[in-house]
């Protein structure tokens, strides 16, 4: 499918953003790039897409959603993001390679932003438009891309079909964010310079206090009995591993390291019965919501969202002898035959353990016979672990 690319009028945007930290793409600059594409053949647009596939493979893989979208919807998402990438590359001269990990981290943050700033609020259209350029400081570009989606997406008068608009806009905003922001700065972590027994003791003390309060909260009450039985052990092992391996105190826990801990470390290091591994996801997600409400973990909401659906991967790895650490087979194969709850191993620094077990989407490729882009079969996991749920099932107002 080829979109009829045209320059649309902009409405409802504020002027210059105060305190912007990067060049803001202007109306005139967008007009220049779009006018250069107007009237181009499908082959020209396909050539741009091929360039994007070669230069930003993670973005293309991120955009393809087999099974989630119909063909026209998929085409609108791809072409809108493609035009956004092309404008940023031409005007800002920005095209640093974006990682899959960064994309899913930013997607999670944007979904939380949408929930808090749009779905759970009563903003008018002008206020909503500000939300979509929050962080990237590109109001004119985002306004153009939002209109490109909303004016070409079929059936938006139908409330069910209309719900797709914010889903696609959030995906496009995520791509724009990752292209204009500095990945190293955004993904930077706060952690101790070196392992300290004093800091480790403080971690354990904090966890004990937090868990004591957690047990009295509504988040804990909603857990099943089996999950409650494992909850204290899950929280303590998770917190200790987050310091032992990544040198992170609870306040500075990140979604990236939390995923690595749950998918890469726990299955390798923890010897426990099946109830423990089944309880990891529900217990930690409930605990993170509790911590978010009380301000104990700065990134708790994002961590809670990123831990969605890690159970399957965690169980697979916990039963896979090839992924076990040195100590785990000894305990698993002990004379008693009982799976003891224990953790083996300690590290004094950071590592990318989760990447080892994470699946990756197959790259999108062009079919030589048909000339069409072949959709890849996408794994549910990102390079840093499990990707968050992409669908936003409820929408308060349309974009």
């Amino acid at each position: 499918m080829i979109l009829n690319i045209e320059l649309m009028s902009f409405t409802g945007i504020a002027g210059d953003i105060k305190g912007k930290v990067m060049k803001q793409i202007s109306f005139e600059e967008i007009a220049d790039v779009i006018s250069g594409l107007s009237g181009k053949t499908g082959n020209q647009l396909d050539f741009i897409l091929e360039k994007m596939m070669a230069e930003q493979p993670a973005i293309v893989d991120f955009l393809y959603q087999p099974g989630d979208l119909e063909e026209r919807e998929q085409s609108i998402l791809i072409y809108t993001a493609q035009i956004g990438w092309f404008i940023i590359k031409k005007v800002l001269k920005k095209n640093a390679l974006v990682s899959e990990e960064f994309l899913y981290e930013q997607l999670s943050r944007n979904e939380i932003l949408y929930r808090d700033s749009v779905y759970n609020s009563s903003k008018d259209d002008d206020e909503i438009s500000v939300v979509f350029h929050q962080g990237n400081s590109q109001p004119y570009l985002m306004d153009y891309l939002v209109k490109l989606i909303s004016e070409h997406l079929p059936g938006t008068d139908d409330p069910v079909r209309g719900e797709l608009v914010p889903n696609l806009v959030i995906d496009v905003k995520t791509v724009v964010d990752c292209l204009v922001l500095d990945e190293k700065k955004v993904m930077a972590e706060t952690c101790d310079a070196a392992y300290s027994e004093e800091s480790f003791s403080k971690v354990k003390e904090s966890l004990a206090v937090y868990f004591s309060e957690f047990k009295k909260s509504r988040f804990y009450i909603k857990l099943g009995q089996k999950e409650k039985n494992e909850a204290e052990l899950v929280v303590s092992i998770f917190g200790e591993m987050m310091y032992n391996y990544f040198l992170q105190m609870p306040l500075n826990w990140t979604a990236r390291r939390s995923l690595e801990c749950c998918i890469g470390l726990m299955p390798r290091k923890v010897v426990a019965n099946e109830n423990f591994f089944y309880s990891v996801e529900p217990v930690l997600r409930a605990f993170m919501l509790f911590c978010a409400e009380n301000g104990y973990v700065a990134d708790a909401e994002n961590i809670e969202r990123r831990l969605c659906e890690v159970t399957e991967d965690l169980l697979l790895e916990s039963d896979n002898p090839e992924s076990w650490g040195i100590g785990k087979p000894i305990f698993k194969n002990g004379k008693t035959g009982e799976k003891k709850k224990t953790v083996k191993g300690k590290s004094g620094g950071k590592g990318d353990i989760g990447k080892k077990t994470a699946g990756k989407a197959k790259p999108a490729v062009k079919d030589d016979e048909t000339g069409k882009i072949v959709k890849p079969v996408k794994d549910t996991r990102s390079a840093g672990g499990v990707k968050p749920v992409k669908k936003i099932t409820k929408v308060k107002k349309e974009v």
Side-chain angles (χ1 to χ4, degrees):
M1 171 198 148
I2 304 300
L3 294 184
N4 178 26
I5 300 176
E6 55 187 9
L7 190 63
M8 296 173 286
S9 61
F10 297 120
T11 59
I13 347 181
D16 290 344
I17 297 174
K18 294 181 179 180
K20 61 180 181 292
V21 295
M22 65 183 74
K23 172 181 166 56
Q24 187 180 111
I25 299 174
S26 69
F27 175 89
E28 291 75 19
E29 288 169 322
I30 296 173
D32 287 343
V33 176
I34 297 303
S35 62
L37 290 175
S38 297
K40 295 292 185 182
T41 65
N43 290 336
Q44 172 68 17
L45 295 176
D46 285 343
F47 174 75
I48 295 174
L49 179 56
E50 288 178 359
K51 291 285 290 182
M52 185 177 176
M53 289 168 57
E55 297 174 20
Q56 295 290 353
I59 291 179
V60 177
D61 290 344
F62 168 80
L63 292 169
Y64 278 107
Q65 302 169 31
D68 290 346
L69 301 174
E70 295 179 1
E71 184 177 355
R72 181 175 175 81
E73 296 159 356
Q74 180 74 83
S75 296
I76 291 170
L77 175 61
I78 292 291
Y79 276 93
T80 304
Q82 170 190 347
I83 296 305
W85 169 76
F86 191 68
I87 292 172
I88 290 169
K89 182 180 177 182
K90 286 290 185 182
V91 178
L92 298 182
K93 309 299 181 185
K94 281 178 171 285
N95 193 31
L97 186 65
V98 174
S99 73
E100 188 178 18
E101 187 174 69
F102 187 26
L103 284 160
Y104 283 107
E105 180 76 10
Q106 198 62 29
L107 172 66
S108 179
R109 295 181 186 280
N110 282 334
E111 288 177 336
I112 292 171
L113 173 67
Y114 177 84
R115 182 198 67 198
D116 294 344
S117 301
V118 179
Y119 178 64
N120 290 336
S121 74
S122 55
K123 286 182 169 60
D124 58 31
D125 290 344
D126 288 352
E127 291 174 315
I128 290 175
S129 70
V130 173
V131 171
F132 292 124
H133 63 72
Q134 185 171 322
N136 58 52
S137 298
Q138 300 298 334
Y140 294 105
L141 176 61
M142 287 306 304
D143 190 68
Y144 176 72
L145 297 178
V146 168
K147 290 181 185 299
L148 193 61
I149 289 173
S150 59
E151 293 189 8
H152 286 87
L153 192 65
T156 51
D157 292 337
D158 179 348
V160 176
R161 305 303 298 164
E163 289 182 359
L164 278 173
V165 174
N167 283 291
L168 300 189
V169 170
I170 287 172
D171 281 350
V172 170
K173 170 175 163 47
T174 297
V175 170
V176 171
D177 289 350
C178 291
L179 286 169
V180 302
L181 297 175
D182 187 321
E183 180 169 341
K184 289 183 178 179
K185 290 182 180 179
V186 175
M187 299 291 280
E189 299 172 345
T190 301
C191 59
D192 285 1
Y195 178 84
S196 161
E197 285 291 346
E198 181 181 355
S199 293
F200 185 55
S201 295
K202 289 180 180 178
V203 168
K204 292 192 288 186
E205 290 172 6
S206 296
L207 290 173
V209 173
Y210 297 166
F211 188 80
S212 177
E213 295 177 14
F214 174 56
K215 286 184 69 175
K216 303 172 187 176
S217 73
R218 67 184 188 280
F219 305 105
Y220 179 85
I221 292 172
K222 291 179 182 179
L223 294 172
Q225 189 55 52
K226 289 183 179 179
E227 294 160 353
K228 290 177 180 177
N229 293 342
E230 304 290 344
E232 186 170 9
L233 185 66
V234 169
V235 170
S236 63
I237 287 179
F238 174 82
E240 291 175 17
M241 282 185 159
M242 289 293 284
Y243 186 78
N244 283 336
Y245 289 87
F246 308 121
L247 302 178
Q248 290 185 350
M249 306 291 281
L251 180 64
N252 301 319
W253 286 345
T254 62
R256 173 189 180 188
R257 298 305 182 187
S258 298
L259 280 168
E260 291 186 29
C261 183
C262 290
I263 297 177
L265 279 173
M266 283 188 173
R268 295 176 58 205
K269 302 294 185 179
V270 178
V271 183
N273 59 38
E274 201 171 61
N275 287 340
F276 173 87
F277 292 110
Y278 269 113
S279 299
V280 169
E281 179 185 332
V283 167
L284 288 181
R285 292 184 68 190
F287 184 68
M288 290 304 164
L289 290 174
F290 162 78
C291 288
E293 188 174 88
N294 291 277
Y296 294 149
V297 178
D299 206 24
E301 281 190 282
N302 189 34
I303 295 172
E304 186 273 334
R305 193 172 187 87
R306 295 293 301 278
L307 290 178
C308 179
E309 299 181 356
V310 300
T311 300
E312 182 179 353
D313 296 301
L314 200 158
L315 290 172
L316 286 173
E317 293 301 322
S318 69
D319 286 333
N320 178 15
E322 293 183 1
S323 70
W324 294 347
I326 296 175
K328 185 163 179 173
I330 298 174
F331 286 95
K332 291 256 315 176
N333 299 320
K335 291 182 180 180
T336 62
E338 183 179 346
K339 297 181 182 179
K340 299 180 181 179
K341 297 176 182 177
T342 185
V343 182
K344 299 297 292 181
K346 180 181 289 187
S347 168
K350 298 184 286 183
D352 290 319
I353 299 164
K355 290 184 179 180
K356 186 176 179 181
T357 59
K360 292 185 178 180
K362 296 179 181 179
V365 295
K366 188 172 183 178
D367 189 296
D368 293 331
E369 295 183 4
T370 64
K372 295 183 178 180
I373 302 299
V374 180
K375 300 175 182 179
V377 178
K378 196 161 193 172
D379 198 316
T380 57
R381 292 173 290 178
S382 70
V386 178
K387 75 173 185 179
V389 177
K390 284 186 65 70
K391 279 201 176 282
I392 299 174
T393 55
K394 296 181 180 179
V395 177
K396 189 166 185 178
K397 60 167 67 175
E398 292 182 20
V399 179

